[in-house]
Amino acid sequence: MQFRESIAIYLQIADYVCERILLKHWKSGERIPAVRELAVQLEVNPNTVMRTYEFLQGQNIIYNQRGIGYFVGDDAVQNATKYRKTEFIEKELPNIFRNIYMLGMDIEELKPQYESFKQQNFG
């Protein structure tokens, strides 16, 4: 995983976990990788993954079954969607709107590209 310097690593890992849930790679009630396992996969410190898991527990996206591991919550898709939408609207959308404005574009111009992207990536 390539990390960006402008965003805390634990939040980038949280996005990765949310993406796995939203794309249905990890389903409700399913066990997710252990802290050490994910740390090795992503080549980060286990403390960083632990911080991510604590953050996602606070968002009610995952939960811990003591002694067994971490699992995808029952409302994980709903809560992950809510979390990711908020992040997108607050952090990414202003830059997109700024670029659209500077380039003199109209949002309607982007619909064909968006539809093409959906078709190519999610079929």
Side-chain angles (χ1 to χ4, degrees):
M1 186 170 172
Q2 294 288 352
F3 294 105
R4 294 171 281 169
E5 288 187 27
S6 60
I7 301 169
I9 291 174
Y10 85 97
L11 292 175
Q12 292 179 64
I13 297 170
D15 284 344
Y16 170 82
V17 171
C18 287
E19 186 174 297
R20 293 279 160 272
I21 292 168
L22 293 173
L23 292 174
K24 313 257 188 294
H25 295 161
W26 297 347
K27 296 174 178 56
S28 179
E30 188 174 286
R31 187 173 182 276
I32 63 173
V35 170
R36 290 182 193 275
E37 185 181 343
L38 190 60
V40 168
Q41 272 181 346
L42 301 178
E43 300 176 351
V44 297
N45 188 306
N47 292 332
T48 305
V49 175
M50 189 66 219
R51 186 172 181 193
T52 298
Y53 281 7
E54 288 172 352
F55 173 76
L56 292 173
Q57 276 186 277
Q59 301 291 322
N60 295 314
I61 294 170
I62 65 171
Y63 63 94
N64 184 12
Q65 282 192 338
R66 197 170 185 161
I68 299 174
Y70 289 90
F71 293 80
V72 177
D74 291 336
D75 297 328
V77 170
Q78 203 173 6
N79 294 333
T81 299
K82 179 181 173 187
Y83 164 69
R84 292 287 303 261
K85 275 185 182 180
T86 300
E87 288 293 301
F88 176 73
I89 289 169
E90 291 178 0
K91 298 195 173 134
E92 295 179 41
L93 203 52
N95 288 331
I96 293 169
F97 285 156
R98 183 173 188 265
N99 284 326
I100 289 171
Y101 175 78
M102 286 189 318
L103 297 171
M105 296 175 71
D106 185 68
I107 289 181
E108 292 299 315
E109 289 180 58
L110 301 175
K111 280 188 177 181
Q113 284 85 1
Y114 175 68
E115 293 303 324
S116 175
F117 172 82
K118 280 193 328 188
Q119 184 64 35
Q120 289 173 4
N121 293 282
F122 306 108

